Amino acid sequence: LKRGQRCVIVCEGFYEWKTSGKTKQPYFMSFSGTDTAVSEGELSSAQEEADAADATEASQQEGQLSEELGRSGDAADRARFADRRPQRLLTMAGLFDIWHPPADSEYAGDGPIFTYSIVTVPASKSIDWLHHRMPAILDGDDAIQQWLDFSHVNTEKALGLIHSSTCLKWHPVTQAMGNIRYKNADCVEAVDLNAKKPIKATGLTSWLKVSPSKRKAEESKPDDEPQAKKLAKDEEKD
């Protein structure tokens, strides 16, 4: 921090898990509200340009999603992702470092390694029920510019930009997010925690779910085992 190696981490949002007994429920955290839109009194060429920009961004996001899904070609996932309105990107304060491998090390020819860390602060009262820490959010262009301007904004002033924030919104998402390999488009979609979970069909429940016609066909299926063999088995049991 004192070396002025300040940076901004930009993302759509982040996840926090609420633990209750053996259950861990993930929540998606993001900026409240969407990107600033053109006002109703300016529905002219500026509106058309904004719509075109949104369409281009949605197309780019869809292409990125297709690649992220391992080029699976899942049309439903791509469509669900493209229909989402672009959200205001989350901007978090961070610190970066550059490590140069020693000339006599095995990594000498690999070049510098860039790393970063997200600055965290005590959670605001609005989300301390979920976690006791939260990222230091840089809310607005002015805060971002001051954080990055290490030539004119010294460490003391920069520290004044780091504080708890109440500009976040959140919603529960699928528990499949507990698996780091889960990359589906619904990873940020809200789920209803009060929805009844489907009952797994087993035993009598599974039998009752079979259609009457199929059950009748199974009951009337001819026995492939000859009667003589069945009698021989019965005698061996006796």
Side-chain angles (χ1 to χ4, degrees):
L1 178 61
K2 292 183 178 180
R3 294 200 301 268
Q5 295 179 185
R6 307 195 295 258
C7 64
V8 176
I9 293 89
V10 181
C11 61
E12 190 173 348
F14 64 96
Y15 297 91
E16 287 291 0
W17 275 257
K18 177 65 175 178
T19 301
S20 179
K22 294 183 178 180
T23 302
K24 290 185 177 181
Q25 174 59 52
Y27 286 79
F28 181 68
M29 321 288 290
S30 60
F31 256 138
S32 57
T34 57
D35 288 331
T36 304
V38 179
S39 64
E40 294 182 1
E42 299 175 341
L43 297 178
S44 56
S45 59
Q47 180 66 62
E48 296 178 0
E49 292 177 3
D51 290 341
D54 283 349
T56 301
E57 183 176 358
S59 177
Q60 293 174 345
Q61 289 177 336
E62 183 179 358
Q64 292 172 357
L65 175 66
S66 179
E67 182 177 355
E68 187 173 308
L69 291 174
R71 296 175 294 278
S72 63
D74 191 329
D77 277 338
R78 292 199 303 273
R80 186 163 56 245
F81 182 87
D83 287 342
R84 289 188 6 243
R85 287 289 297 174
Q87 294 290 314
R88 178 185 174 190
L89 291 178
L90 195 63
T91 45
M92 302 178 288
L95 300 172
F96 73 89
D97 197 8
I98 307 174
W99 182 73
H100 297 273
D104 57 348
S105 73
E106 57 180 315
Y107 305 105
D110 294 343
I113 296 178
F114 296 84
T115 60
Y116 70 88
S117 299
I118 297 173
V119 178
T120 64
V121 294
S124 62
K125 291 183 178 180
S126 60
I127 62 171
D128 61 0
W129 60 273
L130 183 57
H131 200 278
H132 66 286
R133 302 286 293 181
M134 67 178 295
I137 307 298
L138 298 171
D139 190 1
D141 292 341
D142 185 56
I144 294 173
Q145 291 175 5
Q146 289 188 58
W147 179 253
L148 294 177
D149 190 6
F150 55 83
S151 298
H152 299 90
V153 180
N154 59 31
T155 300
E156 184 178 353
K157 290 183 179 179
L159 288 174
L161 300 170
I162 300 175
H163 51 75
S164 301
S165 176
T166 58
C167 59
L168 297 178
K169 63 179 180 179
W170 57 88
H171 58 257
V173 295
T174 172
Q175 291 186 2
M177 280 306 301
N179 188 330
I180 61 174
R181 293 189 297 273
Y182 191 79
K183 304 292 184 182
N184 289 8
D186 65 346
C187 62
V188 297
E189 293 183 358
V191 298
D192 183 4
L193 296 181
N194 296 320
K196 293 183 178 179
K197 295 183 179 180
I199 301 175
K200 187 178 181 180
T202 57
L204 182 60
T205 306
S206 178
W207 183 82
L208 290 173
K209 280 195 170 185
V210 178
S211 63
S213 58
K214 186 176 180 180
R215 191 183 306 123
K216 184 177 180 181
E218 290 179 351
E219 291 174 351
S220 61
K221 187 177 179 181
D223 194 344
D224 295 331
E225 189 174 16
Q227 185 65 21
K229 288 186 178 180
K230 292 182 67 176
L231 292 173
K233 287 183 178 181
D234 292 340
E235 290 178 357
E236 289 178 359
K237 291 180 181 178
D238 295 338

